[in-house]
Amino acid sequence: MLAAHRPTDLYGPSCPYGQRHCIWQHCAGTGVLDNAEHILLHCPLHGAARVAMLAAIRIALASAGLTLADVGSDTSVTQLLLGSLPRTVASVLAGGDDLALRDILRASAEFIQSVYHTRWTYGHKFGQSD
C-alpha cells in the first residue's frame, strides 16, 4: 500500500503519492503525475526558472566535455539534477571534475528553491487573474 500525503490547500484531498497529479492550470486534468521528472523538466509553471537552470547545466557539462544529450533520457537527466550520477556520465563527472558537478548541483538547487517558493507561495493560483 502506498503512503498518502495529508490533505492540503495545494494538493486537495489525500491520495497515494504515485497517483498525485500536477495541479498547475496547464497540467490539471491531463493526468500527468506530479513527480520529480515532471517538475524538473516539463511543468510549464516552472518554465522560466528551468531555462536558467538548463543554461547553467549546459555550461557545467560543457566544462567536462559533455552535453545534455550525453546524459541521456529524461530519467537520467533527473537523476543528475538530484545528485545521483547516471551511468552515462558517472565516469566523467565522478572522475575528478568536481567543479562541473558542483555547478550542476547548485543550478538544480536554485531551481528547486524557486519551485518551492512558487508552489508554496502561490499554489495552484500562480499566474491566474483571480
Side-chain angles (χ1 to χ4, degrees):
M1 178 173 200
L2 294 173
H5 66 82
R6 60 185 168 79
T8 67
D9 291 338
L10 182 58
Y11 288 108
S14 64
C15 68
Y17 283 111
Q19 296 174 8
R20 186 174 59 194
H21 295 93
C22 185
I23 49 84
W24 173 233
Q25 63 183 348
H26 297 291
C27 299
T30 64
V32 66
L33 292 178
D34 194 40
N35 59 21
E37 186 174 308
H38 174 70
I39 293 167
L40 289 167
L41 301 177
H42 303 294
C43 186
L45 175 58
H46 310 295
R50 182 178 303 107
V51 168
M53 174 189 65
L54 290 176
I57 301 297
R58 285 183 179 96
I59 291 168
L61 286 170
S63 73
L66 297 167
T67 67
L68 273 174
D70 295 327
V71 177
S73 69
D74 285 353
T75 300
S76 294
V77 172
T78 300
Q79 288 175 321
L80 176 64
L81 297 178
L82 294 177
S84 179
L85 293 178
R87 293 191 314 179
T88 54
V89 296
S91 62
V92 175
L93 292 178
D97 202 330
D98 295 334
L99 295 180
L101 185 55
R102 178 203 67 191
D103 292 345
I104 290 166
L105 294 177
R106 280 185 178 169
S108 62
E110 288 175 13
F111 177 81
I112 291 168
Q113 183 179 22
S114 170
V115 167
Y116 177 83
H117 173 75
T118 299
R119 285 185 172 218
W120 288 104
T121 301
Y122 300 107
H124 63 284
K125 296 186 184 294
F126 183 82
Q128 295 181 14
S129 58
D130 42 59

